[in-house]
Amino acid sequence: MEFPSLKSWFEGAEHYPFIIAGPCSAESEEQVLAIAAFLKSTGNVNIFRAGVWKPRTRPGTFNGVGVKALKWLQRVQSEYNLRVTVEVASPKHIEACLKHGVDVLWLGARTVSNPFSVEEISEALRGIDIPVLIKNPLNPDIDLWQGAVERIHAAGIKRIAAVHRGFSPFERTLYRNMPKWEIPIELRQRIQNLPLICDPSHISGRADLVPGISQKALDLTMDGLMIEVHSHPSEALSDSAQQLNFDQFSSLMATLIIRQPTIDDKGFLNQLEELRNQIDSIDFQLIELVASRMNISKNMGEYKFKNNVAVLQIERWLEILRTRTDHGTLLNMEPAFIERLMTLLHQESIRIQTTILDNLKTSGDNWSEE
Ligand code: PEP
Ligand code: MN
């Protein structure tokens, strides 16, 4: 599969890193135009983004203003000379966007999670020459992401970029969506030359975390960033915590360290560096998982105190050891290694529970003295 580089997408797309910015949702004509005026003035932005139909996880939240916002985006094009992109989730959305001259379409995470929708959309796109951005699916399923790229490509679309926006965690984590950097890195290995853009806003979920994720994406030589920017983030009708205000966007642009990809590496890291990045990403996830395990240990400590149960229960420990070494063996790991690893985790868990018990006992004594 051949994919043209972002630079060649249209005239004026040379600016590196390729920046797509704008509000999560188009809310009013004034809001859209004020944000576009600001973004144009920075000189950093390749494409203006705004959600018109919003896919919401829970009902009863802002669904977007719909077709009428497409007219506002036409003013962004004519008055600020910016290209515009909109999320599409159905052939009807595509038809409306094409009628209003939207320059670039994007498929959201929820849409990419459903191969039926991607198939329907690729049929609607057949024979049309428009760039398409494809976000990763909600779950960390690289085949689903790759499949969406292949389906859209097979419909004849050549200007495609993948957008990494992180993966829904079950546990609460620092980030709204887990970056799992090893997945976009692998996608780039599987589909060479596919432009890759990071969406630090949806990964972070919090404006203050956006710069760190943006820098990380550039360090991994991703080609661009899709960033949510709002004139008054606290009043935004969707994703208010993660949108940058104008000052935050300007300071991000000023502080990003940009490693211009050389012609030699074409923006790709060497194999060893790619593997190190995958290991780094997995290590951070390991630490987050261990932290969730320790939190549960803490809750168990409290429960054991209330119910007067001993901290160490030997049958439970033997069962843990047996089931974990069996599972490790299935994955071709040495039983002795799994045993050492589990012992280490177990010791820390016992330490935490013992501390909790001691603290609760002390505070109980204090209380009874009163
Ligand atoms: C968005 O970009 O506002 C959006 C809804 O993104 P995602 O599909 O990544 O959740
Ligand atoms: Mn959003």
Side-chain angles (χ1 to χ4, degrees):
M1 287 188 288
E2 269 308 306
F3 296 94
S5 73
L6 291 172
K7 284 189 179 58
S8 67
W9 272 21
F10 45 79
E11 211 177 298
E14 293 80 18
H15 183 272
Y16 177 83
F18 194 89
I19 303 288
I20 302 167
C24 178
S25 306
E27 298 170 1
S28 70
E29 190 161 21
E30 298 68 47
Q31 173 245 19
V32 164
L33 293 175
I35 299 170
F38 163 71
L39 291 174
K40 178 67 185 182
S41 76
T42 65
N44 293 118
V45 176
N46 300 71
I47 301 180
F48 181 85
R49 64 149 282 158
V52 166
W53 302 278
K54 298 305 294 179
R56 306 317 303 274
T57 302
R58 306 279 304 276
T61 44
F62 178 64
N63 281 326
V65 301
V67 174
K68 70 176 184 222
L70 297 175
K71 296 236 170 7
W72 310 339
L73 294 176
Q74 287 179 321
R75 287 191 62 187
V76 171
Q77 291 167 317
S78 59
E79 291 169 34
Y80 298 105
N81 193 23
L82 280 168
R83 288 196 162 66
V84 298
T85 183
V86 168
E87 173 172 357
V88 290
S90 71
K92 249 174 59 194
H93 294 166
I94 295 176
E95 198 188 318
C97 284
L98 294 175
K99 210 170 113 199
H100 289 84
V102 169
D103 301 288
V104 174
L105 305 177
W106 100 70
L107 307 194
R110 288 156 194 79
T111 306
V112 176
S113 302
N114 181 353
F116 288 128
S117 304
V118 176
E119 191 63 43
E120 226 178 50
I121 286 171
S122 60
E123 280 318 311
L125 287 173
R126 195 170 288 284
I128 295 163
D129 183 20
I130 190 165
V132 178
L133 310 170
I134 303 176
K135 291 211 179 186
N136 65 254
L138 294 169
N139 49 325
D141 182 339
I142 189 168
D143 293 324
L144 205 50
W145 198 5
Q146 178 177 1
V149 172
E150 289 166 345
R151 284 192 163 97
I152 300 295
H153 189 269
I157 301 284
K158 296 287 172 271
R159 287 177 291 170
I160 297 177
V163 180
H164 168 229
R165 50 78 79 198
F167 304 90
S168 286
F170 174 66
E171 303 274 354
R172 204 171 245 291
T173 63
L174 175 61
Y175 301 115
R176 175 180 177 192
N177 288 298
M178 298 180 294
K180 291 181 86 58
W181 299 100
E182 71 278 12
I183 293 186
I185 293 171
E186 184 168 338
L187 185 75
R188 187 162 66 179
Q189 283 163 355
R190 288 190 186 185
I191 315 181
Q192 309 248 322
N193 299 319
L194 175 68
L196 191 54
I197 291 170
C198 180
D199 170 347
S201 305
H202 288 85
I203 292 177
S204 306
R206 261 170 49 182
D208 63 322
L209 298 175
V210 168
I213 294 284
S214 304
Q215 188 60 55
K216 174 82 181 169
L218 294 191
D219 294 345
L220 294 175
T221 67
M222 291 201 187
D223 303 285
L225 301 169
M226 183 195 239
I227 302 172
E228 287 188 343
V229 180
H230 197 287
S231 39
H232 300 94
S234 61
E235 290 162 25
L237 300 179
S238 58
D239 289 352
S240 93
Q242 71 195 30
Q243 304 206 51
L244 302 189
N245 64 28
F246 293 171
D247 285 348
Q248 288 168 323
F249 180 77
S250 300
S251 102
L252 173 64
M253 289 298 119
T255 50
L256 277 178
I257 299 165
I258 294 159
R259 193 179 89 97
Q260 189 77 38
T262 64
I263 313 261
D264 290 345
D265 66 13
K266 292 200 185 71
F268 293 91
L269 299 176
N270 68 40
Q271 190 71 17
L272 180 64
E273 248 182 292
E274 297 264 277
L275 294 172
R276 281 185 178 145
N277 281 318
Q278 287 177 314
I279 292 265
D280 287 351
S281 174
I282 290 171
D283 282 351
F284 283 102
Q285 291 170 66
L286 266 178
I287 290 170
E288 297 221 351
L289 275 178
V290 172
S292 329
R293 193 183 195 281
M294 294 307 162
N295 273 334
I296 296 176
S297 293
K298 231 169 82 187
N299 295 340
M300 281 176 94
E302 284 159 12
Y303 181 86
K304 286 177 180 172
F305 174 77
K306 282 197 198 110
N307 295 282
N308 215 9
V309 179
V311 166
L312 177 67
Q313 291 178 297
I314 200 71
E315 315 77 52
R316 165 73 179 152
W317 167 234
L318 292 176
E319 182 212 328
I320 288 181
L321 262 188
R322 184 178 49 75
T323 50
R324 278 40 165 191
T325 41
D326 284 357
H327 192 67
T329 309
L330 276 179
L331 299 169
N332 291 325
M333 284 193 286
E334 281 294 316
F337 167 70
I338 300 290
E339 196 172 320
R340 285 208 307 277
L341 182 64
M342 292 315 302
T343 304
L344 200 61
L345 290 173
H346 187 63
Q347 279 167 350
E348 180 62 4
S349 165
I350 297 277
R351 189 192 64 77
I352 288 174
Q353 293 188 12
T354 312
T355 315
I356 292 213
L357 244 66
D358 288 348
N359 290 345
L360 287 174
K361 270 191 208 141
T362 323
S363 58
D365 289 349
N366 290 344
W367 184 79
S368 62
E369 275 167 16
E370 276 177 19

